[in-house]
Amino acid sequence: MKDSFMHELDRIDLRILRALQADGRLTNAELATRVHISAATCHRRTQRLFEQGYISGVRAQIAPGAVGLGALVMVGVVLDRSTPESFGDFENAVVQMKEVLDCNLVAGDFDYLLKVRVRDMADFNALHGRQLISLPGVRQIRTFFVMKEVKDNQPLAF
């Protein structure tokens, strides 16, 4: 996989991606200076990287505790059936839940692993009783309260 994308991206494209990943607030002029190309060329290349899907978005990283969402909970979900329909129903329901930051289909002890942000344990308890246990096809839920975030949302290594 790594080799296939390396043929499509040259060293300037890679420098643009790395610079934007490190600081998404760079102006086009600052980015151009950093990667040693003209502003016009930089703008064209950056637009192409967006259009081709190399850059999926740019946004601010908000401190969860500062906005009252200090509790991080990992939730393992086992469904009662392993069918495309049951997976689809579950995924469609989870996508609608604002508290669920990430939902991944996984191999192993669970079918899905969810990353959930809430205010506190009481807030999670309410979410669990109100929504999580009634998600389509859920047979079992295992909850893990994160005590310390050691590494979160780090830049991709490429």
Side-chain angles (χ1 to χ4, degrees):
M1 177 74 180
K2 188 173 182 179
D3 289 337
S4 66
F5 94 85
M6 293 297 256
H7 294 296
E8 298 171 25
L9 298 175
D10 63 21
R11 62 182 171 72
I12 294 170
D13 290 334
L14 291 172
R15 277 191 272 185
I16 289 170
L17 291 174
R18 288 181 186 122
L20 287 174
Q21 180 175 241
D23 184 358
R25 295 182 64 183
L26 290 172
T27 66
N28 184 64
E30 291 167 334
L31 181 59
T33 299
R34 217 174 261 193
V35 300
H36 310 294
I37 58 177
S38 73
T41 299
C42 186
H43 180 65
R44 273 194 312 278
R45 282 177 174 260
T46 303
Q47 287 305 115
R48 179 178 49 78
L49 291 168
F50 269 103
E51 290 165 6
Q52 292 178 345
Y54 289 100
I55 303 171
S56 60
V58 179
R59 64 182 180 169
Q61 196 167 334
I62 308 301
V67 294
L69 297 172
L72 178 59
V73 187
M74 305 303 283
V75 179
V77 177
V78 178
L79 299 183
D80 56 9
R81 293 183 324 273
S82 294
T83 65
E85 295 79 18
S86 62
F87 287 158
D89 291 344
F90 176 82
E91 291 171 10
N92 289 335
V94 167
V95 166
Q96 304 303 314
M97 297 178 65
K98 64 179 176 47
E99 299 87 354
V100 176
L101 304 180
D102 297 321
C103 173
N104 296 287
L105 178 64
V106 296
D109 292 340
F110 308 113
D111 292 312
Y112 289 92
L113 187 60
L114 310 179
K115 182 177 177 181
V116 177
R117 272 276 177 202
V118 290
R119 287 188 308 274
D120 51 28
M121 193 177 290
D123 194 25
F124 180 79
N125 190 39
L127 176 70
H128 181 271
R130 184 181 69 245
Q131 282 184 285
L132 288 176
I133 60 173
S134 63
L135 285 168
V138 170
R139 181 176 77 207
Q140 179 185 21
I141 292 178
R142 300 263 320 264
T143 302
F144 304 90
F145 279 86
V146 175
M147 296 173 21
K148 179 180 178 184
E149 292 178 66
V150 177
K151 192 172 186 179
D152 180 49
N153 202 27
Q154 293 300 299
L156 298 174
F158 60 92

